[in-house]
Amino acid sequence: MPLDLIPTGDTWTRDDLYRLTNLMIDAAEAAIAGCRDADVTFVPSDPAAHDTFAADASAVDLAWTLGHVIVHATASAEEAAFCAAELARGVARPGRTRYEVPWESITTVAQCRARLAESRRMRLASLDLWPAPPHLETEFRYRPDGAPINAYERFMGGLRHANSHIDQIREIVRQAQTRAAC
């Protein structure tokens, strides 16, 4: 996994964030390299599917398609990147800044690749918003009683979340391609 290469502690640099962002997108692109359009909307078998944050109760146990996972993972990483840029600039704004492309609109491999490319561009550009040095004393908390995190930790949280979906992407592709071979 790309994030196995993460420096630990507070030794991160913006260069690490650029490098890890590229590794994450590269891993997702490699995972879908042999896909066909039918693979993007294929509904895999996922007995562990459970989304406690689903907007609709009927979607809580819905197995995610490849398009769904890609838009979710990119939206999460983008949100973290933009929040991290605000923290780095000394702005501690509570709340969410999330936009997720409607997953149902992603039906082709070209759209998946475009979404990954757009996410890479936006995340890397967000790092260019950081001042030198960043305001690492500015902190964010997911919950009022949660641990405070700085700009690096917020950005890394988005990368970790995206990384948690790489094996899911690979499994969806495996199932879709196994089905196609039958």
Side-chain angles (χ1 to χ4, degrees), residues 111-126:
Q111 287 174 308
C112 289
R113 288 187 180 116
R115 177 83 277 276
L116 290 166
E118 179 178 59
S119 186
R120 180 194 310 258
R121 179 185 54 77
M122 289 191 300
R123 286 190 255 167
L124 295 177
S126 78

Side-chain angles (χ1 to χ4, degrees), residues 44-55:
S45 171
D46 187 357
H50 187 75
D51 181 5
T52 57
F53 298 104

Side-chain angles (χ1 to χ4, degrees), residues 5-64:
L5 308 174
I6 296 176
T8 58
D10 46 346
T11 60
W12 297 319
T13 66
R14 276 192 324 155
D15 286 342
D16 290 326
L17 301 181
Y18 283 108
R19 180 178 56 80
L20 292 167
T21 296
N22 282 317
L23 284 171
M24 288 301 309
I25 298 291
D26 292 348
E29 287 177 339
I32 67 169
C35 286
R36 298 168 304 118
D37 288 346
D39 301 337
V40 176
T41 56
F42 168 75
V43 179
S45 171
D46 187 357
H50 187 75
D51 181 5
T52 57
F53 298 104
D56 182 332
S58 67
V60 170
D61 296 320
L62 179 71
W64 288 6

Side-chain angles (χ1 to χ4, degrees), residues 59-156:
V60 170
D61 296 320
L62 179 71
W64 288 6
T65 65
L66 181 60
H68 193 157
V69 175
I70 287 175
V71 299
H72 171 79
T74 55
S76 296
E78 290 159 16
E79 178 182 27
F82 283 93
C83 289
E86 287 187 323
L87 289 171
R89 293 176 39 247
V91 177
R93 187 175 51 75
R96 307 282 315 255
T97 62
R98 182 182 184 84
Y99 171 74
E100 187 169 310
V101 172
W103 65 268
E104 300 89 346
S105 70
I106 304 297
T107 60
T108 69
V109 176
Q111 287 174 308
C112 289
R113 288 187 180 116
R115 177 83 277 276
L116 290 166
E118 179 178 59
S119 186
R120 180 194 310 258
R121 179 185 54 77
M122 289 191 300
R123 286 190 255 167
L124 295 177
S126 78
L127 292 168
D128 292 335
L129 298 171
W130 289 36
H135 294 268
L136 298 181
E137 73 284 355
T138 306
E139 297 174 332
F140 172 81
R141 294 173 193 260
Y142 285 99
R143 295 182 321 268
D145 62 339
I149 60 174
N150 67 24
Y152 285 110
E153 293 160 332
R154 185 68 172 104
F155 197 102
M156 289 302 302

